[in-house]
Amino acid sequence: ISGRAPNFMDQPLLSIKNLSVYLKYAGKLLPALRDIELTIQQGELYVLLGESGSGKSLLSLAIMQLLPLQAQLNATSQICLNGQNLVGL
């Protein structure tokens, strides 16, 4: 056991890699978000801006692990908060 406390400043606050979300519709998986990559460092502020239907809400729901039942992430998606991968929790 290390006596050193983790330093969260050494890693991004939020890191998203290879995030793709698919929605089940009529027996098929349709891509809703493709290959999203995003890194937010401690102390940074971002605005998520886009047209209606561009996937802002779906991205936010994926980050919070609140996707609807008909949604599915690709197997290699990573959503890390302070270094911990949230996918599959």
Side-chain angles (χ1 to χ4, degrees):
I1 299 174
S2 172
R4 182 174 175 241
N7 184 353
F8 293 118
M9 297 303 283
D10 292 343
Q11 58 197 357
L13 174 66
L14 179 66
S15 175
I16 299 173
K17 295 180 182 173
N18 198 34
L19 177 67
S20 294
V21 177
Y22 299 90
L23 298 176
K24 293 177 191 172
Y25 180 75
K28 296 180 181 179
L29 283 177
L30 303 175
L33 295 176
R34 290 187 187 167
D35 300 322
I36 303 296
E37 302 273 337
L38 173 70
T39 301
I40 299 176
Q41 299 293 338
Q42 299 283 341
E44 290 182 331
L45 177 66
Y46 282 78
V47 174
L48 188 56
L49 184 67
E51 294 183 22
S52 178
S54 64
K56 301 176 300 292
S57 295
L58 198 58
L59 176 59
S60 299
L61 290 170
I63 292 169
M64 296 183 292
Q65 301 295 290
L66 295 173
L67 287 171
L69 293 176
Q70 71 270 24
Q72 177 177 321
L73 296 178
N74 66 326
T76 59
S77 292
Q78 291 184 358
I79 303 170
C80 297
L81 181 64
N82 285 323
Q84 180 178 3
N85 193 354
L86 303 178
V87 175
L89 290 182

